[in-house]
Amino acid sequence: MTITIVTVEDPHHPDLDRCDGGFWVTETLQPNVTDGKLGYVVIPIDSPYEKRYADVDDENDNDEPSDARFLAYVNGKVAGQLSLSRHWNGFACIDDIVVDKAFRRFGVGRHLVSLAIEWSRQQGLPGVTLETQSNNVAACRLYERCGFVLKGFDSGLYQGLNPQTSEIALFWYWQAPDNLSSPNL
């Protein structure tokens, strides 16, 4: 299996947004603070459900386009995508990362995260930040394996979309070590 990642200049490229990003939620990550340190526990849920993201980004498109877009292909088929920008705090920001259901557990996500880290280095930025949800435990585990650390959470962020939601926004950071060697991904 060959993973190929290409840069996408055209925001209307026909392969963008073609990945099936849905996933089954069987557990949730619950952040906690113990002795002043942020941590978490993973808790199974009683009624698993499928999560699908609405096109909120398209409907509420901010006026700041991504600085870089990439598509991942596996043996010529669209397998994932990544959008990056410079965050207001000086970090690179993963605005969007998705791996198609059919290509999960093949290393596509790890390749895309590694590319985000390399892009941040090329831009001279101190690291990478991203936000995901507490019900996307598989993604959280990937980010942690790639060296990201959970640095914050917001339990009210998604209540504007759904006042009944229990989803918590999780903020992950990868910071460049003093030596700029390649990440151990």
Side-chain angles (χ1 to χ4, degrees), residues 3-185:
I3 299 172
T4 305
I5 300 178
V6 300
T7 303
V8 176
E9 299 294 332
D10 179 3
H12 303 291
H13 189 286
D15 285 342
L16 285 171
D17 301 321
R18 288 191 45 211
C19 294
D20 182 349
F23 59 94
W24 277 94
V25 177
T26 59
E27 53 194 356
T28 187
L29 186 147
Q30 288 293 315
N32 59 47
V33 178
T34 305
D35 296 327
K37 293 188 85 174
L38 183 59
Y40 65 86
V41 294
V42 175
I43 302 168
I45 63 169
D46 294 331
S47 300
Y49 62 95
E50 187 173 16
K51 172 71 177 181
R52 297 206 158 273
Y53 291 106
D55 290 331
V56 174
D57 292 334
D58 293 338
E59 294 170 11
N60 300 317
D61 194 12
N62 62 21
D63 293 328
E64 299 176 26
S66 293
D67 291 335
R69 287 184 183 87
F70 302 92
L71 284 166
Y73 294 88
V74 171
N75 298 332
K77 295 180 181 171
V78 180
Q81 73 181 50
L82 171 69
S83 297
L84 299 166
S85 64
R86 288 178 179 90
H87 201 265
W88 66 267
N89 66 0
F91 280 78
C93 181
I94 295 178
D95 298 313
D96 186 37
I97 183 170
V98 63
V99 175
D100 189 271
K101 279 180 164 182
F103 297 101
R104 293 187 186 146
R105 315 254 342 133
F106 290 105
V108 174
R110 184 173 290 275
H111 275 79
L112 291 171
V113 170
S114 181
L115 179 62
I117 290 170
E118 184 56 34
W119 185 85
S120 76
R121 288 185 169 148
Q122 291 171 357
Q123 303 300 311
L125 304 175
V128 181
T129 185
L130 64 89
E131 178 270 326
T132 193
Q133 300 76 38
S134 56
N135 60 4
N136 197 346
V137 176
C140 293
R141 288 180 173 136
L142 169 67
Y143 304 139
E144 195 167 47
R145 283 192 311 270
C146 290
F148 283 69
V149 176
L150 181 62
K151 296 278 189 162
F153 64 94
D154 183 340
S155 61
L157 187 64
Y158 295 108
Q159 290 179 345
L161 298 172
N162 175 0
Q164 311 309 312
T165 190
S166 60
E167 286 184 47
I168 299 170
L170 303 172
F171 300 94
W172 295 87
Y173 286 82
W174 177 88
Q175 289 183 262
D178 289 338
N179 63 5
L180 293 179
S181 61
S182 296
N184 188 15
L185 301 180

